[in-house]
């Protein structure tokens, strides 16, 4: 799969925007402006942006909880200010300020999330079945982490997805850690792609720090799904350089994380690696980079202003409206 | 008695060709199983020591789990980063230790990085990748027997191995990389998923040889009508335009018509400059080197590449060795 110059710049721009929002979210949480928590995603953000940037607007996306799905939603084309306002409990948020970390953007195929990890595996089967029956050509993309894959729902979903040849792309962002537990302590294998292969699902392992590799692999998987060839599993090897959630202990397997190792991981920072290649290939200039960074900062500042100036949601009956249909 | 080296690549057999070319995932537990069979065969030959590259999955550790063997195993004391360079560094250490041979588990790419530093140490490459030309589809037990003979009889160089050519990539006058099968110049601008299966992107192909039976862009060489005497020789093919086209398997299950502008036998030690820049070089099937506008990259065929164990010869020697051992034990 080859990308045009425009596509490559779009990937870069979305990655810069996702990174800028990650920094903004971290700051707003630290300043006490969030009603929720925040799971930082910097350095592990290429997988989400690479996954979502070339999806169709009506494709269905279940974003990852890491970076609260900002990279995925920015990639999909969602205006992140409504999701930011949601985190701040504002009435202008995408769930009217009562959903905190939950995203809902129906017109962009983001149909809700659950705090219960692993829900994506089973709801995506329903969405995939609907897409197939309706003949819309829509594809369902479910993003999740290595810890999430340990849920039994994965096996239930994968089994039926293959059996019924559903148009689903499973994108694992394998950062080798789930909250405070390392992959080594959780699985007898390292490449989760083998689990998908066990169901006869085509599976591929890519460098999740290489945004082009992710976009290429997900692009091929989406193509298969649209052609009616069934589900695909894309395993992106990525990293987590922060603690699990902002302010939580930076521990693994009962001990402090080895910060020398974390520094080693940081060498694979995806934005600067991509930027270097784009410059070498003459696809962008230093001036383009400055311009993109400036635009992202302005977008983030405007989103912050929007959220802060929006009224705090104080009408509890909103919850009823979300819970009960007429 | 000399020892045997083992380099098993945990990353092989999982790339994008599983989506676009009907490849299947090569699970690391299966690589560990193959190694178990290698160890058992080596042990039956009385091999005393095996030197293993540690890897991020721990293929060697898993292979030794619950395995009843007498031979001793040593894991190299080296940092493991989960990158290609692990294999290159391990091969260098094993060559310095003068192991009798190095058994590799991987594909063309794995052997390429091992061959960068193994010197004259013969390789015994077991295929656990996707589009493989260089490594052999060989049962682990048989590979173990062949390696056992090489180590037990301390066989070296031409006595037991065949020297394979390599393509050398130069940046100006500096050797920057090597390939064992092919170098493909394409209009890609990123390594991306690395595997290159897009025939529309290709400008040129350089081959170490054009023998039939290859898969990947090197199969284009065998599809061209060259004299049989030239089959074992290197080749340079310009792709696109022209009047000729050939049907070639460029990846598993991917039969493609490739338009040919021109082709020529590639003479050893004659440097050919890459004329396309910016462009990307795929080495043995994987996008590896991006060429910037002003870079002067050239390709040279060198007949003195890595030694590869001649399996048939090694197995015949293994037979004689075992028979001799057996007779000796009758006497005692
Ligand atoms: C069913 C369930 N169990 C536990 C949790 C608490 N929890 C939230 S995030 C998380 C870690 C998930 O790890 P992983 O899927 O690897 O994603 P990562 O955070 O590493 O990106 C856990 C255990 C939850 N939300 N749902
Ligand atoms: Mg994780």
């Amino acid at each position: 799969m080859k990308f045009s110059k425009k596509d490559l710049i779009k990937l870069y721009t979305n990655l810069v925007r996702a990174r800028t929002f990650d920094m903004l979210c971290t700051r707003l949480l630290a300043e006490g402006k969030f009603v929720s928590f925040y799971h930082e995603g910097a350095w592990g953000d290429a997988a989400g942006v690479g996954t979502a940037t070339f999806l169709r607007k009506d494709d269905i996306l279940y974003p990852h909880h890491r970076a609260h799905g900002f990279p995925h939603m920015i990639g999909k084309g969602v205006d992140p200010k409504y999701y930011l306002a949601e985190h701040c409990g504002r009435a202008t948020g995408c769930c009217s300020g009562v959903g905190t970390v939950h995203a809902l953007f129906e017109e962009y195929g983001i149909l809700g999330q659950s705090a219960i990890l692993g829900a994506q595996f089973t709801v995506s089967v329903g969405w995939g079945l609907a897409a197939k029956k309706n003949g819309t050509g829509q594809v369902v993309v479910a993003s999740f982490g290595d810890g999430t894959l340990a849920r039994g729902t994965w096996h239930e979903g994968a089994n039926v997805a293959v059996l019924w040849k559903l148009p689903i792309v499973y994108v694992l962002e394998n950062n080798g850690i789930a909250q405070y537990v390392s992959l080594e302590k959780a699985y007898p294998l390292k490449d989760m792609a083998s689990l998908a292969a066990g169901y006869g699902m085509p599976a591929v392992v890519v460098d999740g720090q290489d945004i082009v590799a992710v976009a290429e692999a997900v692009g091929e998987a989406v193509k298969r799904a649209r052609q009616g060839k069934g589900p695909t599993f894309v395993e992106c090897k990525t990293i987590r350089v922060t603690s699990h959630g902002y302010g939580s202990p930076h521990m693994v397997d009962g001990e402090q994380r080895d910060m020398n190792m974390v520094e080693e991981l940081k060498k694979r920072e995806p934005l600067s690696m991509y930027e270097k290649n784009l410059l070498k290939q003459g696809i962008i200039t230093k001036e383009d980079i400055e311009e993109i960074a400036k635009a992202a900062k302005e977008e983030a500042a405007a989103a912050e202003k929007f959220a802060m100036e929006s009224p705090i949601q104080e009408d509890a009956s909103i919850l009823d409206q979300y819970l009960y249909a007429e | 008695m000399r020892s045997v080296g083992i380099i098993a690549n945990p990353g092989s057999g999982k790339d994008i060709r599983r989506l676009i070319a009907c490849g299947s995932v090569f699970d690391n537990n299966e690589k560990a199983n193959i190694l178990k069979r290698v160890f058992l065969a080596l042990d039956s030959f009385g091999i005393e020591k095996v030197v293993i590259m540690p890897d991020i999955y721990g293929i060697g550790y898993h292979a030794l789990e619950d395995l009843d063997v007498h031979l001793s195993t040593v894991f190299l004391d080296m940092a493991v980063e989960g990158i290609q360079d692990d294999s290159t560094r391990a091969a260098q250490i094993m060559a310095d230790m003068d192991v009798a041979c190095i058994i590799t588990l991987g594909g063309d790419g794995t052997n390429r990085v091992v061959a960068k530093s193994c010197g004259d140490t013969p390789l015994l490459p077991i295929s656990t990748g996707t589009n493989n030309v260089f490594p052999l589809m060989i049962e682990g037990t048989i590979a173990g027997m062949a390696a056992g003979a090489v180590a037990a009889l301390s066989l070296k160089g031409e006595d037991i191995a065949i020297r394979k050519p390599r393509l050398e990539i130069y940046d100006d006058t500096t050797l920057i990389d090597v390939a064992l099968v092919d170098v493909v110049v394409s209009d890609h601008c990123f390594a991306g998923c690395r595997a290159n299966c897009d025939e529309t992107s290709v400008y040129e192909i350089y081959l170490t040889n054009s023998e039939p039976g290859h898969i990947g862009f090197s199969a284009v060489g065998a599809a061209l009508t060259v004299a049989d005497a030239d089959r074992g020789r290197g080749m340079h093919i310009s792709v696109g335009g022209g009047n000729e086209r050939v049907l070639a398997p460029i990846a598993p299950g991917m039969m493609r018509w490739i338009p040919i502008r021109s082709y020529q036998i590639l003479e050893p030690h004659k440097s050919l400059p890459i004329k396309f820049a910016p462009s990307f070089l795929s080495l043995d099937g994987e996008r590896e080197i991006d060429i910037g506008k002003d870079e002067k990259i050239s390709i040279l065929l060198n007949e003195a590449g890595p030694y590869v164990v001649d399996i048939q010869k090694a197995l015949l020697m293994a037979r004689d060795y075992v028979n001799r051992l057996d007779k000796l034990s009758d006497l005692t």
Side-chain angles (χ1 to χ4, degrees):
Chain A
M1 182 169 275
K2 266 189 284 185
F3 297 102
S4 65
K5 191 174 159 177
K6 203 171 131 216
D7 290 341
L8 293 167
I9 295 175
K10 189 172 179 192
L11 275 178
Y12 177 78
T13 308
N14 283 346
L15 188 54
V16 172
R17 293 171 62 212
R19 185 65 60 83
T20 310
F21 270 88
D22 184 73
M23 283 163 12
L24 173 64
C25 289
T26 308
R27 176 169 65 73
L28 291 181
L29 180 80
E31 289 173 2
K33 290 178 180 153
F34 271 15
V35 292
S36 71
F37 38 81
Y38 185 63
H39 301 94
E40 297 152 277
W43 274 264
D45 36 14
V49 175
T51 293
T53 294
F54 302 116
L55 295 178
R56 247 167 53 178
K57 190 178 173 190
D58 65 341
D59 284 336
I60 294 157
L61 174 71
Y62 192 109
H64 193 356
H65 67 265
R66 180 85 11 228
H68 290 196
F70 272 101
H72 311 71
M73 283 181 257
I74 284 173
K76 193 81 180 8
V78 168
D79 184 340
K81 74 178 180 193
Y82 302 106
Y83 191 38
L84 188 78
E86 188 61 43
H87 279 72
C88 302
R90 306 291 162 148
T92 53
C94 56
C95 298
S96 309
V98 294
T100 60
V101 301
H102 294 125
L104 179 70
F105 295 95
E106 262 182 284
E107 69 277 33
Y108 287 92
I110 293 160
L111 307 180
Q113 275 170 296
S114 166
I116 308 301
L117 299 179
Q120 54 268 68
F121 302 123
T122 39
V123 293
S124 59
V125 164
W127 291 331
L129 185 61
K132 186 171 173 160
K133 287 217 181 254
N134 292 335
T136 53
Q138 283 165 295
V139 168
V140 178
V141 177
S143 290
F144 50 91
D146 44 287
T148 305
L149 196 69
R151 288 289 316 280
T153 47
W154 148 251
H155 298 279
E156 296 168 31
N159 181 55
V160 174
V162 175
L163 192 67
W164 294 345
K165 275 191 150 186
L166 300 179
I168 304 175
V169 180
Y170 295 101
V171 186
L172 163 61
E173 299 181 19
N174 185 349
N175 59 11
I177 189 166
Q179 197 151 2
Y180 306 119
V181 182
S182 70
L183 192 84
E184 289 72 28
K185 290 276 185 288
Y187 291 95
L189 67 169
K190 259 220 152 83
D191 298 313
M192 304 295 126
S194 295
L195 294 179
Y199 285 103
M201 190 189 301
V204 55
V205 178
V206 296
D207 178 359
Q209 301 308 93
D210 182 337
I211 192 166
V212 180
V214 175
E216 200 176 340
V218 173
E220 291 294 345
V222 165
K223 196 157 86 188
R224 286 190 77 253
R226 282 207 221 288
Q227 288 169 346
K229 293 183 179 169
T232 303
F233 190 93
V234 178
E235 176 169 0
C236 309
K237 301 284 195 195
T238 183
I239 57 177
R240 197 192 87 195
V241 299
T242 57
S243 58
H244 171 63
Y246 185 83
S248 63
H250 203 168
M251 295 179 75
V252 65
D253 303 333
E255 285 172 16
Q256 285 298 317
R257 248 178 123 192
D258 176 351
M259 291 316 282
N260 290 331
M261 229 167 79
V262 173
E263 283 308 311
E264 243 345 271
L265 291 177
K266 280 187 177 174
K267 288 185 186 155
R268 300 200 33 79
E269 193 281 296
L271 184 59
S272 55
M273 291 196 305
Y274 186 41
E275 195 175 284
K276 205 169 113 213
N277 285 348
L278 286 168
L279 283 169
K280 179 165 182 191
Q281 292 282 331
I283 292 164
I284 50 171
T285 61
K286 286 230 158 68
E287 292 74 54
D288 296 333
I289 290 173
E290 275 164 28
E291 219 163 277
I292 291 167
K294 186 165 161 262
K297 277 200 191 102
E298 283 167 7
E299 182 190 22
E304 180 180 356
K305 187 164 183 282
F306 170 77
M308 290 307 132
E309 288 176 358
S310 296
I312 288 180
Q313 181 56 271
E314 293 187 276
D315 178 4
S317 76
I318 292 282
L319 274 173
D320 295 343
Q321 290 172 33
Y322 277 106
L323 270 182
Y324 306 108
E326 298 256 321
Chain B
M1 186 182 282
R2 291 167 76 206
S3 50
V4 171
I6 307 246
I7 295 179
N9 175 4
S12 71
K14 302 173 206 292
D15 72 23
I16 186 92
R17 283 169 291 191
R18 266 119 289 269
L19 305 196
I20 54 180
C22 320
S24 31
V25 173
F26 206 111
D27 186 64
N28 286 334
N29 289 321
E30 179 51 17
K31 292 177 198 165
N33 272 339
I34 292 173
L35 265 195
K36 274 188 196 290
R37 310 197 289 261
V38 168
F39 287 143
L40 287 165
L42 288 173
D43 201 45
S44 75
F45 275 53
I47 301 303
E48 287 159 6
K49 190 168 137 192
V50 176
V51 184
I52 307 169
M53 174 185 84
D55 70 81
I56 51 163
Y57 176 69
I59 297 174
Y61 290 99
H62 286 292
L64 290 166
E65 248 166 28
D66 305 323
L67 196 70
D68 202 7
V69 285
H70 299 287
L71 52 77
S72 70
T73 49
V74 178
F75 284 88
L76 294 181
D77 183 15
M78 59 179 271
V80 180
E81 294 177 58
I83 55 173
Q84 289 186 0
D85 192 48
D86 292 347
S87 301
T88 307
R89 280 182 293 124
Q92 177 76 59
I93 302 171
M94 288 179 189
D96 293 345
M97 291 169 87
D98 193 34
V99 299
C101 64
I102 300 174
I103 298 178
T104 60
L105 270 69
D108 287 335
T110 309
N111 286 288
R112 183 180 72 78
V113 295
V114 168
K116 278 192 201 183
S117 62
C118 68
D120 287 345
T121 308
L123 304 180
L124 205 164
I126 303 177
S127 170
T128 65
T130 319
N131 275 37
N132 297 320
V133 173
F134 189 84
L136 309 162
M137 288 291 202
I138 183 175
E139 169 27 60
T141 322
I142 310 293
M145 288 166 67
V150 178
L153 300 168
S154 197
L155 300 168
K156 282 193 172 180
E158 252 92 58
D159 289 344
I160 194 56
I162 301 163
R163 186 143 225 179
K164 300 279 186 178
R166 70 180 201 182
L167 290 161
E168 297 176 344
I169 297 98
Y170 287 88
D171 182 351
D172 218 354
T173 53
T174 313
L175 177 66
I176 54 167
D177 221 318
V178 301
L180 303 177
V181 181
D182 56 17
V183 174
V184 172
V185 188
S186 71
D187 67 2
H188 285 97
C189 40
F190 281 89
C193 283
R194 308 187 82 82
N196 183 4
C197 306
D198 177 7
E199 74 279 11
T200 64
S201 70
V202 176
Y203 297 127
E204 301 180 279
I205 305 171
Y206 295 81
L207 303 179
T208 50
N209 72 76
S210 57
E211 275 157 19
H214 286 198
I215 188 144
F217 282 109
S218 64
V220 174
L224 288 163
T225 44
V226 296
D228 282 342
D230 287 334
R231 277 277 171 236
R233 302 169 66 196
M235 205 176 218
H236 171 222
I237 304 162
S238 294
V239 174
N243 300 322
E244 197 175 343
R245 61 173 198 158
V246 293
L247 182 64
I250 61 160
M254 288 179 90
M255 297 296 296
R256 294 287 184 272
W257 285 101
I258 310 293
I260 307 293
R261 187 193 313 266
S262 64
Y263 57 94
Q264 57 179 325
I265 295 299
L266 188 60
E267 300 296 344
H269 305 290
K270 201 177 142 230
S271 167
L272 286 186
I274 305 259
K275 294 185 287 281
F276 301 91
S279 62
F280 227 92
L281 294 192
S282 298
L283 310 182
D284 295 340
E286 286 174 8
R287 283 173 263 166
E288 290 286 347
I289 301 175
D290 57 334
I291 305 185
K293 238 187 13 260
D294 305 315
E295 282 175 300
K296 286 193 173 55
I297 306 291
S298 59
I299 310 282
L300 181 140
L301 177 67
N302 187 343
E303 297 137 308
Y307 280 106
V308 176
V309 172
D310 181 338
I311 300 287
Q312 297 286 331
K313 205 167 169 182
L315 290 174
L316 288 174
M317 289 180 161
R319 179 192 65 191
D320 296 344
Y321 170 71
V322 171
N323 287 342
R324 218 164 52 235
L325 265 190
D326 196 31
K327 290 215 179 70
L328 281 175
S329 60
D330 278 347
L331 287 175
T332 53

